[in-house]
Amino acid sequence: MDFEHARHYAIERLTHELASELTYHSIWHTRDDVVPSVELLARHSDVTGDDLVLLRTAAYYHDIGFIERRDEHEAIGVRIAAATLPDYGYTSDELQIISGIIMSTRLPQSPHTLLEQLLADADLDVLGRTDFLQRNQALRAELACYGTIVSDATWYRSQIQFLNQHHYCTTAATELRHAGKQHNLATLQKLLGEAHPSAG
């Protein structure tokens, strides 16, 4: 597996082909958010060797489908990976594993293997981080660009519901992010309480 060239291909396409309206699902989300998160979770879960290479590859390709469209972007990402990665020495068995890892990020998440669980958790690592509100506003701005414009109260309610329904799959993510997620949930509830009642 020529991981470095596979990574470079994904980064180039994400950098140059993602729509500017994608203020959340940007190159930053993949390169500076999900990849470092999945590497951190992998270390805590003792994932090494080829498994780690497959996991990191899937992380770089998990949102590449956004270069074509937002709907079903995971399936598009699988197609792009399947068309690209054999050029870099990935086998059909390895592609099957990577495809499963990419699809594990689809909401609602339903990962099965440890590698799938790790990327699913990394994709929502932000829920338990201190930059949650900043990234959450980037997501709101992105959705507004595509026509989903809601009041503050409606937004906060939807995000509270999402955090309440979400559970980290791995022990590593639970240990690292659960407390932070509870803090962010309390912050959202406070913001909802401050939102103008007639606004939602």
Side-chain angles (χ1 to χ4, degrees):
M1 289 181 285
D2 185 354
F3 169 74
E4 283 305 320
H5 280 93
R7 179 187 71 83
H8 180 75
Y9 176 91
I11 290 294
E12 283 295 300
R13 295 203 70 181
L14 290 167
T15 300
H16 297 293
E17 297 182 47
L18 286 175
S20 59
E21 292 83 3
L22 293 167
T23 51
Y24 181 88
H25 293 101
S26 60
I27 179 63
W28 190 94
H29 170 67
T30 292
R31 183 190 60 209
D32 304 312
D33 176 1
V34 175
V35 169
S37 296
V38 85
E39 290 172 345
L40 175 66
L41 294 176
R43 284 196 300 274
H44 279 261
S45 305
D46 296 322
V47 172
T48 59
D50 286 349
D51 282 347
L52 180 58
V53 175
L54 296 174
L55 180 60
R56 294 176 72 203
T57 303
Y60 276 103
Y61 282 77
H62 86 285
D63 273 351
I64 202 169
F66 273 99
I67 67 176
E68 292 189 16
R69 68 174 193 266
R70 293 166 63 235
D71 294 344
E72 303 296 331
H73 67 269
E74 299 93 352
I76 297 168
V78 166
R79 171 168 55 75
I80 292 171
T84 304
L85 293 176
D87 293 341
Y88 304 120
Y90 288 75
T91 68
S92 58
D93 287 346
E94 289 163 348
L95 283 174
Q96 189 171 354
I97 293 169
I98 289 169
S99 297
I101 300 172
I102 292 172
M103 293 305 297
S104 74
T105 64
R106 185 176 186 176
L107 297 175
Q109 293 178 334
S110 57
H112 302 292
T113 68
L114 175 60
L115 297 183
E116 291 174 7
Q117 291 173 350
L118 286 167
L119 188 58
D121 282 351
D123 197 28
L124 295 177
D125 183 69
V126 69
L127 300 184
R129 295 202 314 256
T130 56
D131 62 340
F132 167 75
L133 284 181
Q134 176 188 353
R135 299 303 300 152
N136 192 249
Q137 287 304 310
L139 177 61
R140 185 179 181 182
E142 176 178 308
L143 293 174
C145 286
Y146 290 95
T148 304
I149 301 172
V150 296
S151 67
D152 287 349
T154 299
W155 177 256
Y156 294 137
R157 282 194 201 99
S158 71
Q159 299 308 292
I160 288 167
Q161 181 181 22
F162 186 84
L163 264 68
N164 273 325
Q165 292 176 344
H166 170 264
H167 298 282
Y168 286 116
C169 303
T170 63
T171 301
T174 302
E175 290 176 350
L176 291 168
R177 300 300 183 210
H178 178 73
K181 191 178 79 167
Q182 295 307 115
H183 174 79
N184 290 330
L185 183 58
T187 301
L188 286 171
Q189 290 167 334
K190 181 173 181 288
L191 289 168
L192 175 60
E194 294 170 353
H196 197 280
S198 64

